[in-house]
Amino acid sequence: MRFLHTSDWHLGRSLHRVSLLDAQAAFLDHLIDTARSEAVDAVLVAGDVYDRAVPPLAAVELFDDALHRLAALGVPTVMISGNHDSPRRLGVGAGLIGRAGIHLRTDPAACGAPLLLSDRHGDVAVYGLPYLEPTLVRDEFGVETAGHAAVVGAAMDRVRADLAGRPKGTRAVTLAHAFVTGGQGSDSERDITVGGAAAVPVATFAGAHYAALGHLHGCQTLTDRVRYSGSPLAFSFSEAAHRKSTWLVDLDGAGAVRAERVDCPVPRPLARLRGRIDTLLTDPALAPHESAWVEATLTDPARPDEPMARLAARFPHILSLVFEPDRPPTAPATYARRLSERTDQQIAEDFVAHVRGGQGPDPRERAALRAALHAARPREE
């Protein structure tokens, strides 16, 4: 049986205020085309369909269109809610939508009730574990420890119990949205790992022939049977080096897994550039990045004049500007020591230089500071 594993669509999300809706529409076109051309038996969407609990109307329309197109293909789709989704909103009409082959799994209580698919080797039971917020579901699963490992472990116990009652040879596929130990995160994920309480051991998914994970935005393999598909688009510059893809997974009659990556369309590459502004503006080696979305980190000792406008002349799609001046290390000193034997004028000028990234006041500004300090003295006496 062949599956197409994807996750973390985050419909409605932007990148530094640049709308990604067109890029998300292009990805969904690609998803439909891949499902058709690769003759997949089911599409697995492991959570974070939307970017927020109340998505914008344009994102809802895009999602609705994708569901109609998947249903028209006759390809069953199993979809769980992620930590960015509202389970109640995403799951509205799940029973009716399920009749069209789109199976929304947003209710934690239904973790042990699979969708059954069949091929010539027998049944494949597909279990959907939506994102499980420990404080909200601990009573449902009867766990004492309000940790993610505990509630996901209890949900998988239900999966294994259901699987044990099915005919021998039934294969199991599980969808889950979680931070699993060994996974590598990026800047664009919402943190669910405070204090490490949300980390779920890989062994939690024992018994599943394949675990289709969502939440982390980088495509990665934890074991041959436990994988993250990652997000189809980059949502932060920390993902500049990511290769965005989906997993095409073949599950044979004995439950062995073979998986290959299918690259997603790239709307525009990301580039992280670093150096002094004159170098960034003139270095011919940076020419390939002129059409990219750019994050520039300037290392000039003093903040240059109008850096964003100047960089945009060469890199018209620059989105982010960071200042990290290259300065020689200095010995640490106490605040009192730094102020000792310094005049008020020097302290004020140092402050101006500090907030400007090293560039002190010009003669006109020095004169204004001197006049202000002189005017303030009589009131202090």
Side-chain angles (χ1 to χ4, degrees), residues 124-151:
V124 176
V126 182
Y127 300 88
L129 278 60
Y131 172 69
L132 302 174
E133 177 58 47
T135 57
L136 299 180
V137 302
R138 60 184 300 181
D139 291 340
E140 166 65 33
F141 292 106
V143 298
E144 297 182 0
T145 304
H148 212 177
V151 294

Side-chain angles (χ1 to χ4, degrees), residues 13 15-16 186-189 233-240 270:
R13 189 159 185 160
L15 176 67
H16 288 268
S186 60
D187 293 345
S188 59
E189 298 124 6
L233 297 171
F235 298 124
S236 72
F237 279 97
S238 66
E239 301 166 61
L270 271 62

Side-chain angles (χ1 to χ4, degrees), residues 228-361:
Y228 282 101
S229 66
S231 61
L233 297 171
F235 298 124
S236 72
F237 279 97
S238 66
E239 301 166 61
H242 284 190
R243 174 189 165 196
K244 296 299 184 179
S245 59
T246 56
W247 283 113
L248 191 63
V249 179
D250 287 307
L251 189 66
D252 72 12
V257 170
R258 183 176 66 85
E260 65 175 289
R261 295 174 70 174
V262 179
D263 290 333
C264 296
V266 178
R268 191 179 299 280
L270 271 62
R272 304 184 96 171
L273 309 182
R274 182 184 182 88
R276 299 196 175 193
I277 191 167
D278 289 342
T279 300
L280 298 187
L281 291 173
T282 60
D283 187 351
L286 301 181
H289 304 305
E290 291 174 359
S291 61
W293 279 319
V294 169
E295 177 188 74
T297 299
L298 296 183
T299 60
D300 300 71
R303 187 183 297 253
D305 291 334
E306 300 183 343
M308 196 67 162
R310 292 166 63 189
L311 288 166
R314 183 180 188 188
F315 306 103
H317 303 288
I318 185 170
L319 300 181
S320 176
L321 191 58
V322 180
F323 293 94
E324 293 182 3
D326 284 337
R327 294 176 184 151
T330 57
T334 65
Y335 180 72
R337 181 180 174 186
R338 292 199 304 270
L339 295 185
S340 64
E341 299 182 357
R342 300 183 68 78
T343 66
D344 291 343
Q345 180 77 18
Q346 290 171 321
I347 292 170
E349 291 183 11
D350 285 349
F351 175 76
V352 172
H354 172 72
V355 298
R356 286 181 173 171
Q359 183 177 354

Side-chain angles (χ1 to χ4, degrees), residues 187-201:
D187 293 345
S188 59
E189 298 124 6
R190 184 178 296 165
D191 187 16
I192 59 172
T193 61
V194 177
V200 177

Side-chain angles (χ1 to χ4, degrees), residues 23-40:
Q24 290 171 333
F27 161 70
L28 291 174
D29 289 343
H30 161 78
L31 182 79
I32 302 297
D33 290 344
T34 302
R36 180 189 299 109
S37 64
E38 296 293 342
V40 303

